[in-house]
Amino acid sequence: MTQLQTWIAAFGWAPPWLVSTVLITVAVVVALALHAVVVRIVRHAISRHSAFWQPLIARTRRPTRMVFIVAALGPAVSAAPLTAAQAAGAKHVLLVLFILLLGWMAMAALDIGAALYLRGFKVDVEDNLLARKHVTQVRILRRAVAILVGIFTLALALMTIPGVRQWGVSLLAAGGAASLIVGLALQPLLTNLIAGIQIAVTQPIRIDDAVIVEKEWGNIEEINATYVVVRLWDWRRMVLPLSYFIQTPFQNWTRESAALIGTAMLYVDPAAPVDRLRAKLEEIAKASPLWDGKVVNLAVTDLTAEVMEVRCLVSARNAPKTFDLRCEVREKMMAFLRDELPEAFPKRRLALAAGEG
């Protein structure tokens, strides 16, 4: 007979429920005190400037406290004057809680690791291509791993319950009728989960990419576990499944670089002086703070009997600046035509045959 059992036997006069309550209360108090001591010791042992362990201790304080309580309740339940069925039920509940707490701590460690990795990457800077690449990869993979951790934790918890054990097995391995049902139920989730991993690896889109989807222009605002949020030019949000960007063609304007070439079309008289138009375009581009100094060009792209089509090309550092620069070029070129070359506006010519009039 252990010392704990001897102590319990000394209180044979007390009803079983009272003894069980006292044991559980003592176990919880001891667990809380021991947890506080261990956390203090660990914090003193670890450097205060540890970027990973200090946040991990702070984030996992609640689940580790629960782990200590669950671990202390195990011996208390075994020693308590409970029936075999009551003891087995209590131990099973403690086992399920322990599995869920381990999953909780794994989620916290995953979040902290992802946050610490992304600290060195700034998306709100001019040249943010590398930062957007890493932010996209980490966010998608973190959500994918979080889903896998959640499924694995739930599967282990279900496997401890005899009545639904097959469901837990089906979450870990495909087999049996239950796995078919689970597979059909989780098909949209798994499809988007796989699509998310593909996007994280191949990166057809990144956070803040300028894209055209469903004939709408916008920026990738969020990439979640199952869907993507696109912030459209007029501040509306378009929500699309992750699988859309794997299965459907779309335009990505910032795939390799944020810089873009913008086009402004002018329609002038065929007799308009192209050299003067070209010189004015270069003057406008060089005077604009939006121009990145790379591309400025004017060319005649089409010609009819009445109109000459002139294409103005200018480049800027990103899509919004390119759009604004295109508008600026149109406005100033039209002002130039109005003020200095009014004869360059298209005219309709009529030819009279000899002897008429």
Side-chain angles (χ1 to χ4, degrees):
M1 182 177 293
T2 64
Q3 186 175 357
L4 180 60
Q5 290 173 331
T6 302
W7 180 83
I8 294 174
F11 290 87
W13 52 270
W17 66 266
L18 179 60
V19 176
S20 300
T21 302
V22 171
L23 284 174
I24 292 174
T25 303
V26 171
V28 171
V29 172
V30 170
L32 292 176
L34 184 60
H35 176 265
V37 172
V38 171
V39 168
R40 180 169 296 183
I41 292 174
V42 172
R43 278 189 168 177
H44 281 289
I46 296 174
S47 171
R48 293 184 178 182
H49 302 288
S50 175
F52 177 77
W53 293 108
Q54 288 292 348
L56 180 61
I57 293 172
R59 288 284 300 273
T60 59
R61 190 164 187 172
R62 290 183 181 178
T64 53
R65 184 186 296 125
M66 293 298 298
V67 168
F68 272 73
I69 292 175
V70 169
L73 287 177
V77 169
S78 298
L82 302 174
T83 64
Q86 291 173 338
K91 290 180 179 179
H92 183 260
V93 171
L94 293 176
L95 176 60
V96 172
L97 285 175
F98 183 75
I99 293 173
L100 296 178
L101 289 171
L102 290 181
W104 186 3
M105 289 191 292
M107 293 281 196
L110 179 64
D111 289 342
I112 293 172
L116 291 175
Y117 180 80
L118 293 177
R119 285 194 314 173
F121 300 100
K122 302 296 183 183
V123 180
D124 54 347
V125 295
E126 190 69 36
D127 186 10
N128 61 0
L129 183 62
L130 181 63
R132 292 190 290 110
K133 175 181 178 180
H134 286 274
V135 168
T136 302
Q137 284 182 332
V138 171
R139 286 185 180 178
I140 295 177
L141 292 177
R142 184 189 66 80
R143 291 188 177 101
V145 173
I147 291 176
L148 293 177
V149 169
I151 293 175
F152 188 74
T153 302
L154 179 61
L156 290 179
L158 291 176
M159 288 173 64
T160 65
I161 305 174
V164 293
R165 180 171 297 163
Q166 183 60 31
W167 291 92
V169 175
S170 299
L171 288 174
L172 298 178
S179 66
L180 179 60
I181 298 174
V182 172
L184 291 174
L186 295 180
Q187 183 178 3
L189 174 63
L190 295 177
T191 299
N192 285 294
L193 179 61
I194 295 172
I197 295 174
Q198 287 181 278
I199 289 175
V201 174
T202 60
Q203 293 207 336
I205 56 172
R206 304 184 183 96
I207 296 295
D208 206 35
D209 266 348
V211 296
I212 295 181
V213 290
E214 299 296 308
K215 300 182 180 180
E216 297 273 9
W217 183 89
N219 293 87
I220 302 295
E221 185 175 51
E222 298 178 29
I223 302 179
N224 293 296
T226 57
Y227 62 90
V228 175
V229 178
V230 181
R231 184 183 68 253
L232 302 181
W233 66 273
D234 57 358
W235 296 356
R236 289 177 295 138
R237 266 60 174 179
M238 181 180 291
V239 181
L240 299 165
L242 274 175
S243 56
Y244 175 92
F245 295 92
I246 299 297
Q247 302 171 357
T248 308
F250 65 96
Q251 294 185 38
N252 188 336
W253 288 13
T254 54
R255 177 68 178 85
E256 297 296 337
S257 171
L260 289 173
I261 296 176
T263 303
M265 307 302 295
L266 301 177
Y267 297 91
V268 298
D269 189 83
V274 176
D275 291 341
R276 292 190 63 184
L277 294 176
R278 183 175 292 111
K280 185 60 179 179
L281 175 62
E282 293 177 358
E283 177 187 333
I284 294 171
K286 292 176 181 178
S288 174
L290 300 173
W291 187 51
D292 62 0
K294 294 181 179 178
V295 176
V296 55
N297 183 47
L298 184 144
V300 176
T301 54
D302 197 7
L303 185 65
T304 66
E306 298 179 351
V307 175
M308 180 169 62
E309 182 184 75
V310 177
R311 183 186 66 185
C312 303
L313 294 182
V314 284
S315 61
R317 287 184 289 274
N318 53 49
K321 291 185 178 181
T322 302
F323 180 83
D324 293 341
L325 182 57
R326 291 168 62 196
C327 295
E328 181 182 349
V329 166
R330 290 193 196 98
E331 294 171 4
K332 293 186 175 180
M333 290 296 290
M334 291 304 297
F336 172 71
L337 292 176
R338 181 196 63 210
D339 298 336
E340 300 187 31
L341 289 175
E343 67 276 10
F345 285 108
K347 305 178 185 66
R348 175 164 293 183
R349 295 174 172 82
L350 297 176
L352 298 178
E356 293 184 2

